[in-house]
Amino acid sequence: MTSLLIRGGRLIDPSQDLDRTGDLLIRDGKIAGAGDVAGHVDEEIDAEGMIVVPGLIDLHAALRDPGDEEDETTFTGTAAALAGGFTSIACLPDTTPAIDNRAAAEFAILQAARARNCHVYPLGAVTKNLNGEELAEMGQLVDGGAVGFSDGKNPIHNAEIMRRALEYSRMFDRPIFNFPEVEELSRSGIMHEGYYSTLLGLRGMPAAAESIMVSRDLALAEMTEGRLHVTTVTVSNSVQQILQAKEAGVKVTCSVTPHHLALDDSTLQRFDAAFKVNPPLRSQDHIDSLIRGLKDGTIDAISSDHQPYSVEKKRNELDEAPFGIAGLETVIPICIQTLIDPGHLSWLQLIDKLSTRPARILGLSKGTLRENSTADVTLIDPDAEWTIEPEQFYSRGRNTPFAGWTVKGRAETVLVNGQVRFHQGQLLSRANPVA
Amino acid sequence: MSTESPSRVWNRKHILGLEELSAEEITQILDQAAEFKQQAKAGVLKLNSLRGKVVANLFFEPSTRTRTSFGLAAKRLSADTVDFSPSGSSLSKGETFIDTAKNIEAMGVDQVVVRHVTPGAPHLLSKHLKASVLNAGDGTHEHPTQALLDIFTIREKKGTLDGLTVTLVGDILHSRVARSNIWGLKKLGARVIVCGPSTLIPRDITQLGVEISYDLDAVLPESDCVNLLRVQFERQRSAFFPSIREYAHLFGLNTERASRGKEGMMVLAPGPINRGVELSTEVADGPHSVVLDQVTNGLLVRMSCLYLLNQYQDRQAERGEA
C-alpha cells in the first residue's frame, strides 16, 4: 500500500461537475478520495496554485511508429504527450505498415508499454491498408486493443464502404472516425480557398469539401445507427449540420484542434510550411462558428491532431512539405489563450473537452477523479509563462506554427497509474529504451 | 558610372513581388529602365555596373524567354552568370530546395534570380540566403518583372498609367502575371478589369480593387490596353472550360473584335502566345500589337532590377566598412 496526496489544488472534474479547492488522495494507483483528506500518507505533492484535473486524453495523434521513425517514435510521441499533460492518447493507424490487423494493434500497445510514458490506445484501420476498398478485420482489431476505427488522413471516399463500416462497428460499439474531405474538391490544394488563396496564388481547399463529406456521413450514421466521429471540424456548415443531427438523435461526435481556433488563413502570407495543415487554417468567420460550437456543446472534444514531421520534410517549398502540426505539447496554452482568457469556456468545460468526453468517445473508464478510478491525473499551472521553442520539444516533430510565442499555462506534474511520470519539465520514466 | 540621384536611393534587398513595392519604387525601376533605353539608343549597350559580381539563374521550372532575358540583362551589366536548371524537382535527388540554393550561393553568388513552380519559394530562399533574391515567377503567385515590363511598355506609349483602363483577359486564377499586373497597375493609378471564363476568375479578386467581366466585347470599347494572358493548360487540375474552340470563340482577340476596341487600343501578351487561342495571328502581328516591344523592354526592366539590387548591396558593403 503506497499513498500519495496532492494537496491544496483546484480540483476540476467534469464527470462530477466538481470545481473546488481540496486534496486528492491516491492509493495503489487508484484515486482514493477527494476533498479534505486527513491521516498518514507516504508522499505529498503541494498543488497550491495548480489546477488538478483528470489526465488529458487525445482522440487522435500520429506516432509514426513503425515506418517513419525520423518523424516520431512511440517513445518520443508519448513523452510529448506527457509534456502536454496527456495521460492517454489514441494513436492513428497510418503507420507503415498500417494498424489494419490484430498484430499491428498489439505492437502499438507493446511499444507504449516499453516506452512507459502514457497509455496508448490504437485506432484500428477502417479499411485494409487504409486504401478505402475493403473493410479491415475490425473484430480482430478490437480484440487486439483497438478502441475505434479510422483511416487516418485518408477520407473514406466510398459511401458504400462507409455505410458498411458504420453498420459493422455497431457490434463492437466503437466509433468510426472519418476525416471529412471530398478529395476531388481539395486535391493539390495547399490552403483554405478564399481571399488569401487568391492573393497568394496558392491552390484552395474549399469549405464545401469538408461540409459535403460531413453531410454524407451524417446521413449514413442516421441510416445505420452507427457511431460516427467527425475528426477536425473546421467550417461553419459542418458545425450547423452536426448540431441538427445531434438534435435528431444521430450518434455523432466531433472534435476540433487548438490551431484551427488560434490561427486563420492569413498566416499563409508567410509562405511557411509550419502553417500548412489539413484541414487548412480557415477564415475568421469559420473560427467564430467553431467557438460557438464549443460553447453550445455541438463540438464535443478538442484534439491535438498531432502530426509530427522531421525538419527536413517540413523545411521545404509549400508544395513539397507535408501537411500537419506537431500539436501535443502546445494544447494547454493555446486553449487557455483562445478559450479560457476570452471567457468562451470555463475550466470545467475545457477539461470536459480534453478528458471526460474523449474518454467517453473512446469507451475508456477514464476522464474522471472518482474514487477507484485509475489515477491518471494532470496538474496544470495555469499562470506559468513560457516561450514555445520547438527545439525543446520532446516530440521529434518540430513543426509548430507557434514557435516563439510567449504563452501561459503548462502541465506541471503528470501522473499515470498513480506514478509521477512527468514533473517540472522532466520526464521521470526510464531512459529511452532500446526497443 | 553612376546614375544614382541622391533623392532616390533603392532600399530593398530583394524583389519578390509588386505587392510589397510602393508606387515610387515601381516608378524608380521604370525610370532606370528608361535611362538604360536612352543609353542603348546612344550606342552604350554594355555597362560595368556589376563587374565582378555573380548572378545565379535558378530555374526550377522550365523557361526559355525569361531565363534568356535575365541572362542577357546580367551580361549587359558585366556580371558573371551561372545557370542552374534541374531537370526534375530537387527533392527527387534527395536534396532540399534550400540546400540546392545554399550550395550555389556558396560559390560566391551576389544575386539569385529564381523561378519555381511553388508560390512563396523565392520568399523561402530570401529567409535562408545572404544573396539578394529576384523573383522570376513563383507558381501562380507573382511574376514582378513581367508586370514591370508590361507597365513600362504601356507607360512608354501612353505617357502615364494614371486614368487608363487596362483589361487583363484570360486565366486569372492561375496567372502570376495577372496578380503582379494588378498590384502594379493599381498602384500607378490605372483602372483594371479582369475578363475571362467565370471558372478562371476567383470572385475574391475584387478585393484587390479590380472589376470583373465575363464579356470581352462589352469591355473592349472602354479599354486603353488589353493584356491577353496565356491559357495555362499545364497548371489546370481539371477542365475549366469545355474546349479551346469555345475559349477562342468567347475570349480570343481577332481582327473583328479588335476593330470594335477603343481608338488606339494597345494589345499586349506576355507570351509565349498560343496563336489562334488568345489572339489571332493578324492581331499578334498587327499595328495594335506591342508584343515584341515587350520583349525588348523586358531586358531593360530586368537590367534595372539587377542594377538597383546591386546598388543596395554596394551601399550595405560601404556601411559595413565604415
Side-chain angles (χ1 to χ4, degrees), chain A residues 331-350:
Chain A
V331 169
I332 290 175
I334 301 302
C335 285
I336 290 176
Q337 183 174 323
T338 55
L339 298 170
I340 297 286
D341 285 349
H344 296 313
L345 295 187
S346 67
W347 272 101
L348 204 56
Q349 288 170 309
L350 178 63

mmCIF file with all atom_site columns, all heavy atoms in Angstrom, chain A residues 331-350:
data_model
loop_
_atom_site.group_PDB
_atom_site.id
_atom_site.type_symbol
_atom_site.label_atom_id
_atom_site.label_alt_id
_atom_site.label_comp_id
_atom_site.label_asym_id
_atom_site.label_entity_id
_atom_site.label_seq_id
_atom_site.pdbx_PDB_ins_code
_atom_site.Cartn_x
_atom_site.Cartn_y
_atom_site.Cartn_z
_atom_site.occupancy
_atom_site.B_iso_or_equiv
_atom_site.pdbx_formal_charge
_atom_site.auth_seq_id
_atom_site.auth_comp_id
_atom_site.auth_asym_id
_atom_site.auth_atom_id
_atom_site.pdbx_PDB_model_num
ATOM 1   N N   . VAL A 1 331 ? -1.126  22.202 -26.564 1.00 0.00 ? 331 VAL A N   1
ATOM 2   C CA  . VAL A 1 331 ? -2.589  22.229 -26.436 1.00 0.00 ? 331 VAL A CA  1
ATOM 3   C C   . VAL A 1 331 ? -3.040  23.116 -25.269 1.00 0.00 ? 331 VAL A C   1
ATOM 4   O O   . VAL A 1 331 ? -3.919  23.972 -25.428 1.00 0.00 ? 331 VAL A O   1
ATOM 5   C CB  . VAL A 1 331 ? -3.150  20.791 -26.260 1.00 0.00 ? 331 VAL A CB  1
ATOM 6   C CG1 . VAL A 1 331 ? -4.617  20.833 -25.848 1.00 0.00 ? 331 VAL A CG1 1
ATOM 7   C CG2 . VAL A 1 331 ? -2.983  19.994 -27.548 1.00 0.00 ? 331 VAL A CG2 1
ATOM 8   N N   . ILE A 1 332 ? -2.442  22.931 -24.108 1.00 0.00 ? 332 ILE A N   1
ATOM 9   C CA  . ILE A 1 332 ? -2.924  23.652 -22.919 1.00 0.00 ? 332 ILE A CA  1
ATOM 10  C C   . ILE A 1 332 ? -2.807  25.171 -23.090 1.00 0.00 ? 332 ILE A C   1
ATOM 11  O O   . ILE A 1 332 ? -3.812  25.879 -22.961 1.00 0.00 ? 332 ILE A O   1
ATOM 12  C CB  . ILE A 1 332 ? -2.206  23.158 -21.633 1.00 0.00 ? 332 ILE A CB  1
ATOM 13  C CG1 . ILE A 1 332 ? -2.670  21.728 -21.304 1.00 0.00 ? 332 ILE A CG1 1
ATOM 14  C CG2 . ILE A 1 332 ? -2.486  24.099 -20.459 1.00 0.00 ? 332 ILE A CG2 1
ATOM 15  C CD1 . ILE A 1 332 ? -1.944  21.091 -20.121 1.00 0.00 ? 332 ILE A CD1 1
ATOM 16  N N   . PRO A 1 333 ? -1.622  25.696 -23.411 1.00 0.00 ? 333 PRO A N   1
ATOM 17  C CA  . PRO A 1 333 ? -1.556  27.162 -23.507 1.00 0.00 ? 333 PRO A CA  1
ATOM 18  C C   . PRO A 1 333 ? -2.407  27.741 -24.630 1.00 0.00 ? 333 PRO A C   1
ATOM 19  O O   . PRO A 1 333 ? -2.979  28.822 -24.470 1.00 0.00 ? 333 PRO A O   1
ATOM 20  C CB  . PRO A 1 333 ? -0.065  27.440 -23.751 1.00 0.00 ? 333 PRO A CB  1
ATOM 21  C CG  . PRO A 1 333 ? 0.512   26.163 -24.243 1.00 0.00 ? 333 PRO A CG  1
ATOM 22  C CD  . PRO A 1 333 ? -0.290  25.081 -23.579 1.00 0.00 ? 333 PRO A CD  1
ATOM 23  N N   . ILE A 1 334 ? -2.509  27.031 -25.747 1.00 0.00 ? 334 ILE A N   1
ATOM 24  C CA  . ILE A 1 334 ? -3.302  27.578 -26.860 1.00 0.00 ? 334 ILE A CA  1
ATOM 25  C C   . ILE A 1 334 ? -4.788  27.557 -26.497 1.00 0.00 ? 334 ILE A C   1
ATOM 26  O O   . ILE A 1 334 ? -5.536  28.471 -26.841 1.00 0.00 ? 334 ILE A O   1
ATOM 27  C CB  . ILE A 1 334 ? -3.014  26.827 -28.180 1.00 0.00 ? 334 ILE A CB  1
ATOM 28  C CG1 . ILE A 1 334 ? -1.522  26.918 -28.555 1.00 0.00 ? 334 ILE A CG1 1
ATOM 29  C CG2 . ILE A 1 334 ? -3.876  27.364 -29.322 1.00 0.00 ? 334 ILE A CG2 1
ATOM 30  C CD1 . ILE A 1 334 ? -0.962  28.319 -28.710 1.00 0.00 ? 334 ILE A CD1 1
ATOM 31  N N   . CYS A 1 335 ? -5.219  26.531 -25.769 1.00 0.00 ? 335 CYS A N   1
ATOM 32  C CA  . CYS A 1 335 ? -6.616  26.511 -25.326 1.00 0.00 ? 335 CYS A CA  1
ATOM 33  C C   . CYS A 1 335 ? -6.893  27.619 -24.302 1.00 0.00 ? 335 CYS A C   1
ATOM 34  O O   . CYS A 1 335 ? -7.964  28.219 -24.309 1.00 0.00 ? 335 CYS A O   1
ATOM 35  C CB  . CYS A 1 335 ? -6.969  25.149 -24.730 1.00 0.00 ? 335 CYS A CB  1
ATOM 36  S SG  . CYS A 1 335 ? -7.191  23.874 -25.983 1.00 0.00 ? 335 CYS A SG  1
ATOM 37  N N   . ILE A 1 336 ? -5.924  27.871 -23.426 1.00 0.00 ? 336 ILE A N   1
ATOM 38  C CA  . ILE A 1 336 ? -6.110  28.955 -22.457 1.00 0.00 ? 336 ILE A CA  1
ATOM 39  C C   . ILE A 1 336 ? -6.259  30.278 -23.205 1.00 0.00 ? 336 ILE A C   1
ATOM 40  O O   . ILE A 1 336 ? -7.168  31.069 -22.951 1.00 0.00 ? 336 ILE A O   1
ATOM 41  C CB  . ILE A 1 336 ? -4.918  29.014 -21.463 1.00 0.00 ? 336 ILE A CB  1
ATOM 42  C CG1 . ILE A 1 336 ? -4.948  27.793 -20.531 1.00 0.00 ? 336 ILE A CG1 1
ATOM 43  C CG2 . ILE A 1 336 ? -4.949  30.310 -20.652 1.00 0.00 ? 336 ILE A CG2 1
ATOM 44  C CD1 . ILE A 1 336 ? -3.764  27.689 -19.581 1.00 0.00 ? 336 ILE A CD1 1
ATOM 45  N N   . GLN A 1 337 ? -5.379  30.477 -24.183 1.00 0.00 ? 337 GLN A N   1
ATOM 46  C CA  . GLN A 1 337 ? -5.383  31.750 -24.899 1.00 0.00 ? 337 GLN A CA  1
ATOM 47  C C   . GLN A 1 337 ? -6.646  31.943 -25.738 1.00 0.00 ? 337 GLN A C   1
ATOM 48  O O   . GLN A 1 337 ? -7.183  33.039 -25.813 1.00 0.00 ? 337 GLN A O   1
ATOM 49  C CB  . GLN A 1 337 ? -4.141  31.809 -25.790 1.00 0.00 ? 337 GLN A CB  1
ATOM 50  C CG  . GLN A 1 337 ? -4.004  33.122 -26.518 1.00 0.00 ? 337 GLN A CG  1
ATOM 51  C CD  . GLN A 1 337 ? -2.695  33.201 -27.281 1.00 0.00 ? 337 GLN A CD  1
ATOM 52  O OE1 . GLN A 1 337 ? -1.648  32.712 -26.836 1.00 0.00 ? 337 GLN A OE1 1
ATOM 53  N NE2 . GLN A 1 337 ? -2.735  33.808 -28.446 1.00 0.00 ? 337 GLN A NE2 1
ATOM 54  N N   . THR A 1 338 ? -7.115  30.857 -26.379 1.00 0.00 ? 338 THR A N   1
ATOM 55  C CA  . THR A 1 338 ? -8.236  31.028 -27.307 1.00 0.00 ? 338 THR A CA  1
ATOM 56  C C   . THR A 1 338 ? -9.596  30.830 -26.641 1.00 0.00 ? 338 THR A C   1
ATOM 57  O O   . THR A 1 338 ? -10.594 31.311 -27.156 1.00 0.00 ? 338 THR A O   1
ATOM 58  C CB  . THR A 1 338 ? -8.141  30.049 -28.492 1.00 0.00 ? 338 THR A CB  1
ATOM 59  O OG1 . THR A 1 338 ? -8.040  28.720 -27.979 1.00 0.00 ? 338 THR A OG1 1
ATOM 60  C CG2 . THR A 1 338 ? -6.930  30.337 -29.353 1.00 0.00 ? 338 THR A CG2 1
ATOM 61  N N   . LEU A 1 339 ? -9.625  30.081 -25.524 1.00 0.00 ? 339 LEU A N   1
ATOM 62  C CA  . LEU A 1 339 ? -10.927 29.727 -24.953 1.00 0.00 ? 339 LEU A CA  1
ATOM 63  C C   . LEU A 1 339 ? -11.144 30.218 -23.520 1.00 0.00 ? 339 LEU A C   1
ATOM 64  O O   . LEU A 1 339 ? -12.230 30.698 -23.191 1.00 0.00 ? 339 LEU A O   1
ATOM 65  C CB  . LEU A 1 339 ? -11.109 28.205 -25.014 1.00 0.00 ? 339 LEU A CB  1
ATOM 66  C CG  . LEU A 1 339 ? -11.123 27.624 -26.430 1.00 0.00 ? 339 LEU A CG  1
ATOM 67  C CD1 . LEU A 1 339 ? -11.062 26.110 -26.398 1.00 0.00 ? 339 LEU A CD1 1
ATOM 68  C CD2 . LEU A 1 339 ? -12.352 28.101 -27.203 1.00 0.00 ? 339 LEU A CD2 1
ATOM 69  N N   . ILE A 1 340 ? -10.129 30.090 -22.667 1.00 0.00 ? 340 ILE A N   1
ATOM 70  C CA  . ILE A 1 340 ? -10.302 30.477 -21.262 1.00 0.00 ? 340 ILE A CA  1
ATOM 71  C C   . ILE A 1 340 ? -10.185 31.992 -21.096 1.00 0.00 ? 340 ILE A C   1
ATOM 72  O O   . ILE A 1 340 ? -11.082 32.640 -20.556 1.00 0.00 ? 340 ILE A O   1
ATOM 73  C CB  . ILE A 1 340 ? -9.260  29.764 -20.360 1.00 0.00 ? 340 ILE A CB  1
ATOM 74  C CG1 . ILE A 1 340 ? -9.446  28.250 -20.406 1.00 0.00 ? 340 ILE A CG1 1
ATOM 75  C CG2 . ILE A 1 340 ? -9.335  30.301 -18.927 1.00 0.00 ? 340 ILE A CG2 1
ATOM 76  C CD1 . ILE A 1 340 ? -10.639 27.715 -19.660 1.00 0.00 ? 340 ILE A CD1 1
ATOM 77  N N   . ASP A 1 341 ? -9.095  32.570 -21.599 1.00 0.00 ? 341 ASP A N   1
ATOM 78  C CA  . ASP A 1 341 ? -8.873  34.011 -21.409 1.00 0.00 ? 341 ASP A CA  1
ATOM 79  C C   . ASP A 1 341 ? -9.998  34.875 -21.987 1.00 0.00 ? 341 ASP A C   1
ATOM 80  O O   . ASP A 1 341 ? -10.434 35.814 -21.330 1.00 0.00 ? 341 ASP A O   1
ATOM 81  C CB  . ASP A 1 341 ? -7.509  34.425 -21.978 1.00 0.00 ? 341 ASP A CB  1
ATOM 82  C CG  . ASP A 1 341 ? -6.356  33.988 -21.065 1.00 0.00 ? 341 ASP A CG  1
ATOM 83  O OD1 . ASP A 1 341 ? -6.648  33.561 -19.922 1.00 0.00 ? 341 ASP A OD1 1
ATOM 84  O OD2 . ASP A 1 341 ? -5.189  34.076 -21.481 1.00 0.00 ? 341 ASP A OD2 1
ATOM 85  N N   . PRO A 1 342 ? -10.500 34.576 -23.188 1.00 0.00 ? 342 PRO A N   1
ATOM 86  C CA  . PRO A 1 342 ? -11.611 35.398 -23.688 1.00 0.00 ? 342 PRO A CA  1
ATOM 87  C C   . PRO A 1 342 ? -12.951 35.062 -23.036 1.00 0.00 ? 342 PRO A C   1
ATOM 88  O O   . PRO A 1 342 ? -13.961 35.696 -23.361 1.00 0.00 ? 342 PRO A O   1
ATOM 89  C CB  . PRO A 1 342 ? -11.669 35.056 -25.184 1.00 0.00 ? 342 PRO A CB  1
ATOM 90  C CG  . PRO A 1 342 ? -10.460 34.229 -25.481 1.00 0.00 ? 342 PRO A CG  1
ATOM 91  C CD  . PRO A 1 342 ? -10.045 33.603 -24.199 1.00 0.00 ? 342 PRO A CD  1
ATOM 92  N N   . GLY A 1 343 ? -12.990 34.068 -22.149 1.00 0.00 ? 343 GLY A N   1
ATOM 93  C CA  . GLY A 1 343 ? -14.226 33.737 -21.446 1.00 0.00 ? 343 GLY A CA  1
ATOM 94  C C   . GLY A 1 343 ? -15.189 32.858 -22.234 1.00 0.00 ? 343 GLY A C   1
ATOM 95  O O   . GLY A 1 343 ? -16.359 32.764 -21.891 1.00 0.00 ? 343 GLY A O   1
ATOM 96  N N   . HIS A 1 344 ? -14.707 32.199 -23.281 1.00 0.00 ? 344 HIS A N   1
ATOM 97  C CA  . HIS A 1 344 ? -15.599 31.336 -24.059 1.00 0.00 ? 344 HIS A CA  1
ATOM 98  C C   . HIS A 1 344 ? -15.965 30.061 -23.298 1.00 0.00 ? 344 HIS A C   1
ATOM 99  O O   . HIS A 1 344 ? -17.088 29.578 -23.364 1.00 0.00 ? 344 HIS A O   1
ATOM 100 C CB  . HIS A 1 344 ? -14.953 30.948 -25.395 1.00 0.00 ? 344 HIS A CB  1
ATOM 101 C CG  . HIS A 1 344 ? -14.707 32.107 -26.292 1.00 0.00 ? 344 HIS A CG  1
ATOM 102 N ND1 . HIS A 1 344 ? -15.651 33.070 -26.536 1.00 0.00 ? 344 HIS A ND1 1
ATOM 103 C CD2 . HIS A 1 344 ? -13.606 32.475 -27.008 1.00 0.00 ? 344 HIS A CD2 1
ATOM 104 C CE1 . HIS A 1 344 ? -15.159 33.982 -27.370 1.00 0.00 ? 344 HIS A CE1 1
ATOM 105 N NE2 . HIS A 1 344 ? -13.918 33.646 -27.661 1.00 0.00 ? 344 HIS A NE2 1
ATOM 106 N N   . LEU A 1 345 ? -14.994 29.480 -22.617 1.00 0.00 ? 345 LEU A N   1
ATOM 107 C CA  . LEU A 1 345 ? -15.239 28.253 -21.858 1.00 0.00 ? 345 LEU A CA  1
ATOM 108 C C   . LEU A 1 345 ? -14.726 28.420 -20.433 1.00 0.00 ? 345 LEU A C   1
ATOM 109 O O   . LEU A 1 345 ? -13.760 29.133 -20.195 1.00 0.00 ? 345 LEU A O   1
ATOM 110 C CB  . LEU A 1 345 ? -14.512 27.051 -22.483 1.00 0.00 ? 345 LEU A CB  1
ATOM 111 C CG  . LEU A 1 345 ? -14.904 26.542 -23.868 1.00 0.00 ? 345 LEU A CG  1
ATOM 112 C CD1 . LEU A 1 345 ? -14.143 25.242 -24.165 1.00 0.00 ? 345 LEU A CD1 1
ATOM 113 C CD2 . LEU A 1 345 ? -16.399 26.311 -24.018 1.00 0.00 ? 345 LEU A CD2 1
ATOM 114 N N   . SER A 1 346 ? -15.389 27.726 -19.493 1.00 0.00 ? 346 SER A N   1
ATOM 115 C CA  . SER A 1 346 ? -14.864 27.642 -18.129 1.00 0.00 ? 346 SER A CA  1
ATOM 116 C C   . SER A 1 346 ? -13.841 26.514 -18.105 1.00 0.00 ? 346 SER A C   1
ATOM 117 O O   . SER A 1 346 ? -13.775 25.699 -19.030 1.00 0.00 ? 346 SER A O   1
ATOM 118 C CB  . SER A 1 346 ? -16.007 27.325 -17.165 1.00 0.00 ? 346 SER A CB  1
ATOM 119 O OG  . SER A 1 346 ? -16.488 26.006 -17.438 1.00 0.00 ? 346 SER A OG  1
ATOM 120 N N   . TRP A 1 347 ? -13.073 26.442 -17.048 1.00 0.00 ? 347 TRP A N   1
ATOM 121 C CA  . TRP A 1 347 ? -12.124 25.334 -16.915 1.00 0.00 ? 347 TRP A CA  1
ATOM 122 C C   . TRP A 1 347 ? -12.848 23.984 -16.909 1.00 0.00 ? 347 TRP A C   1
ATOM 123 O O   . TRP A 1 347 ? -12.375 23.008 -17.481 1.00 0.00 ? 347 TRP A O   1
ATOM 124 C CB  . TRP A 1 347 ? -11.267 25.487 -15.652 1.00 0.00 ? 347 TRP A CB  1
ATOM 125 C CG  . TRP A 1 347 ? -10.043 26.304 -15.910 1.00 0.00 ? 347 TRP A CG  1
ATOM 126 C CD1 . TRP A 1 347 ? -9.848  27.614 -15.602 1.00 0.00 ? 347 TRP A CD1 1
ATOM 127 C CD2 . TRP A 1 347 ? -8.853  25.848 -16.566 1.00 0.00 ? 347 TRP A CD2 1
ATOM 128 N NE1 . TRP A 1 347 ? -8.601  28.011 -16.034 1.00 0.00 ? 347 TRP A NE1 1
ATOM 129 C CE2 . TRP A 1 347 ? -7.961  26.964 -16.613 1.00 0.00 ? 347 TRP A CE2 1
ATOM 130 C CE3 . TRP A 1 347 ? -8.426  24.640 -17.108 1.00 0.00 ? 347 TRP A CE3 1
ATOM 131 C CZ2 . TRP A 1 347 ? -6.692  26.883 -17.177 1.00 0.00 ? 347 TRP A CZ2 1
ATOM 132 C CZ3 . TRP A 1 347 ? -7.160  24.556 -17.680 1.00 0.00 ? 347 TRP A CZ3 1
ATOM 133 C CH2 . TRP A 1 347 ? -6.313  25.660 -17.717 1.00 0.00 ? 347 TRP A CH2 1
ATOM 134 N N   . LEU A 1 348 ? -13.989 23.973 -16.243 1.00 0.00 ? 348 LEU A N   1
ATOM 135 C CA  . LEU A 1 348 ? -14.759 22.726 -16.182 1.00 0.00 ? 348 LEU A CA  1
ATOM 136 C C   . LEU A 1 348 ? -15.136 22.273 -17.603 1.00 0.00 ? 348 LEU A C   1
ATOM 137 O O   . LEU A 1 348 ? -15.010 21.096 -17.958 1.00 0.00 ? 348 LEU A O   1
ATOM 138 C CB  . LEU A 1 348 ? -16.014 22.982 -15.340 1.00 0.00 ? 348 LEU A CB  1
ATOM 139 C CG  . LEU A 1 348 ? -16.690 21.788 -14.666 1.00 0.00 ? 348 LEU A CG  1
ATOM 140 C CD1 . LEU A 1 348 ? -15.721 21.015 -13.776 1.00 0.00 ? 348 LEU A CD1 1
ATOM 141 C CD2 . LEU A 1 348 ? -17.882 22.269 -13.843 1.00 0.00 ? 348 LEU A CD2 1
ATOM 142 N N   . GLN A 1 349 ? -15.559 23.240 -18.420 1.00 0.00 ? 349 GLN A N   1
ATOM 143 C CA  . GLN A 1 349 ? -15.931 22.898 -19.804 1.00 0.00 ? 349 GLN A CA  1
ATOM 144 C C   . GLN A 1 349 ? -14.714 22.477 -20.617 1.00 0.00 ? 349 GLN A C   1
ATOM 145 O O   . GLN A 1 349 ? -14.768 21.540 -21.421 1.00 0.00 ? 349 GLN A O   1
ATOM 146 C CB  . GLN A 1 349 ? -16.603 24.108 -20.478 1.00 0.00 ? 349 GLN A CB  1
ATOM 147 C CG  . GLN A 1 349 ? -17.996 24.392 -19.961 1.00 0.00 ? 349 GLN A CG  1
ATOM 148 C CD  . GLN A 1 349 ? -18.509 25.724 -20.481 1.00 0.00 ? 349 GLN A CD  1
ATOM 149 O OE1 . GLN A 1 349 ? -17.833 26.748 -20.383 1.00 0.00 ? 349 GLN A OE1 1
ATOM 150 N NE2 . GLN A 1 349 ? -19.712 25.706 -21.050 1.00 0.00 ? 349 GLN A NE2 1
ATOM 151 N N   . LEU A 1 350 ? -13.603 23.179 -20.422 1.00 0.00 ? 350 LEU A N   1
ATOM 152 C CA  . LEU A 1 350 ? -12.402 22.858 -21.203 1.00 0.00 ? 350 LEU A CA  1
ATOM 153 C C   . LEU A 1 350 ? -11.909 21.448 -20.877 1.00 0.00 ? 350 LEU A C   1
ATOM 154 O O   . LEU A 1 350 ? -11.580 20.664 -21.786 1.00 0.00 ? 350 LEU A O   1
ATOM 155 C CB  . LEU A 1 350 ? -11.290 23.880 -20.935 1.00 0.00 ? 350 LEU A CB  1
ATOM 156 C CG  . LEU A 1 350 ? -9.969  23.598 -21.664 1.00 0.00 ? 350 LEU A CG  1
ATOM 157 C CD1 . LEU A 1 350 ? -10.149 23.656 -23.181 1.00 0.00 ? 350 LEU A CD1 1
ATOM 158 C CD2 . LEU A 1 350 ? -8.878  24.587 -21.237 1.00 0.00 ? 350 LEU A CD2 1
#
